[in-house]
């Protein structure tokens, strides 16, 4: 059953600051998805695929950071949102792992060197944090605060990109694989839904503006590195275009993909958010649209199949 909009009743009015956040237990069947799921555009395909590399372990790290701060949060509403956030990010991580295992690996593209290293970092982190907390609680708080600020910056971008992919009709016109488009839009919509959670956790954990700026700078470099490095890594392994990948060719193809609306202009998009995110009074509720996200989630084939109905 498709329902396009929430009931027009004040009881269902959406609180942009605190929308209800619950995971949708989605699953995806990748058997019909081709390697170049943006037809004829391997560069756009692999730029977006680079998110599939970083997100499974990245989102597990987000969860670790929020779980570490949770005992210090007293606000019942935020605690409820944290629960929803953790559930959503767990399903996101699992779903992107499915793309790595069932599309990239089956086409001979192996990213395990990167994901194994990230996985080891996540596996080692709890013991490192516990040792730091026992030895120097102030340093532990400082480190966790910085990590939360970095996650908050990345969550800003996942929400902005989520809104971009929900609003972008040119991907439908280009004939992008519908299962992949649904994964990206379902994930993007949930990112919009829970966009305030980590920012609020950071602030309740004593995070201040200067550290928010410093962590944003670090996150920006990380995102550029992950997107550019990840895309080139994937393009070089792609069996269908191997041997034809050179930097000038990739740059020309990238510009064409941006013009066609298959990918956002990442240089402009990431830096262009600086005046928004670095405004001292910024709060994530001021950006993106929860009604649009919920509207997509009511239409998403994967979310519908998962049987989720918030109303
Ligand atoms: Fe996510
Ligand atoms: Fe998120």
């Amino acid at each position: 059953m498709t329902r396009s909009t929430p009931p027009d009743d004040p009881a269902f009015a959406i609180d942009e600051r605190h929308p209800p956040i619950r995971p949708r237990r989605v699953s995806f069947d990748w058997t019909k998805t081709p390697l170049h799921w943006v037809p004829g555009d391997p560069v756009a395909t692999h730029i977006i695929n680079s998110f599939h590399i970083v997100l499974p372990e990245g989102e597990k790290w987000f969860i670790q950071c929020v779980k570490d701060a949770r005992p210090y949060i007293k606000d019942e509403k935020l605690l409820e949102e944290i629960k929803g956030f953790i559930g959503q990010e767990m399903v996101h991580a699992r779903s992107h792992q499915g793309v790595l295992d069932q599309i990239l690996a089956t086409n001979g593209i192996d990213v395990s060197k990167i994901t194994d290293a990230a996985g080891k970092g996540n596996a080692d982190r709890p013991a490192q944090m516990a040792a730091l907390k026992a030895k120097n609680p102030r340093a532990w708080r400082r480190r966790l605060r910085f990590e939360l600020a970095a996650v908050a910056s990345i969550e800003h971008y996942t929400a902005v990109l989520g809104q971009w992919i929900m609003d972008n009709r040119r991907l439908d016109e280009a004939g992008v694989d519908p299962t992949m488009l649904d994964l990206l839009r379902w994930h993007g919509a949930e990112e919009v839904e829970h966009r305030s959670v980590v920012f609020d956790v950071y602030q309740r954990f004593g995070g201040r503006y200067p550290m928010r700026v410093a962590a944003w700078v670090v996150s920006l470099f990380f995102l550029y590195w992950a997107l550019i490095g990840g895309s080139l890594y994937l393009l070089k392994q792609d069996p269908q275009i191997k041997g034809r990948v050179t930097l000038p060719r990739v740059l020309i193809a990238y510009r064409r993909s941006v013009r066609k609306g298959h990918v956002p202009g990442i240089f402009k998009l990431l830096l262009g958010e600086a005046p928004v995110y670095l405004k001292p009074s910024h709060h994530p509720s001021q950006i993106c649209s929860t009604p649009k996200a919920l509207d997509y989630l009511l239409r998403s084939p994967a979310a519908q199949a998962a049987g989720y109905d918030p109303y």
Side-chain angles (χ1 to χ4, degrees), residues 59 89 92 187 191 194:
E59 297 192 294
E89 296 292 28
H92 297 172
H187 186 174
E191 289 301 319
H194 72 224

Coordinates of all heavy atoms in Angstrom, one line a residue, residues 59 89 92 187 191 194, ligand 1:
E59 N 29.8 3.6 10.0 CA 28.5 3.8 10.8 C 28.6 3.0 12.1 O 28.0 3.3 13.1 CB 27.3 3.4 10.0 CG 27.2 4.3 8.8 CD 25.9 4.2 8.0 OE1 25.7 3.2 7.4 OE2 25.2 5.2 8.0
E89 N 21.4 3.1 12.1 CA 22.7 3.0 11.5 C 23.2 1.5 11.4 O 24.0 1.2 10.6 CB 23.7 3.8 12.4 CG 23.5 5.3 12.4 CD 23.8 6.0 11.1 OE1 23.6 5.4 10.0 OE2 24.1 7.2 11.2
H92 N 21.8 0.4 8.2 CA 22.5 1.0 7.1 C 23.8 0.2 6.9 O 24.2 -0.1 5.7 CB 22.9 2.5 7.4 CG 21.7 3.4 7.6 ND1 21.8 4.6 8.1 CD2 20.4 3.1 7.4 CE1 20.6 5.2 8.2 NE2 19.7 4.3 7.8
H187 N 18.3 5.2 2.7 CA 19.3 5.6 3.6 C 19.3 7.1 3.8 O 19.4 7.6 4.9 CB 20.7 5.1 3.1 CG 21.8 5.3 4.1 ND1 23.1 4.8 4.0 CD2 21.8 6.0 5.3 CE1 23.8 5.2 5.0 NE2 23.1 5.9 5.8
E191 N 18.8 9.4 7.1 CA 19.8 10.3 7.5 C 19.2 11.7 7.8 O 19.6 12.4 8.8 CB 20.9 10.5 6.5 CG 21.8 9.3 6.3 CD 22.5 8.9 7.6 OE1 23.0 9.8 8.4 OE2 22.6 7.7 7.9
H194 N 17.3 11.5 11.2 CA 18.0 11.5 12.5 C 19.2 12.5 12.5 O 20.1 12.4 13.3 CB 18.5 10.0 12.8 CG 19.6 9.5 12.0 ND1 19.6 8.2 11.5 CD2 20.8 10.0 11.6 CE1 20.7 7.9 10.9 NE2 21.5 9.0 11.0
Ligands
LIG1 FE1 23.5 5.9 8.0

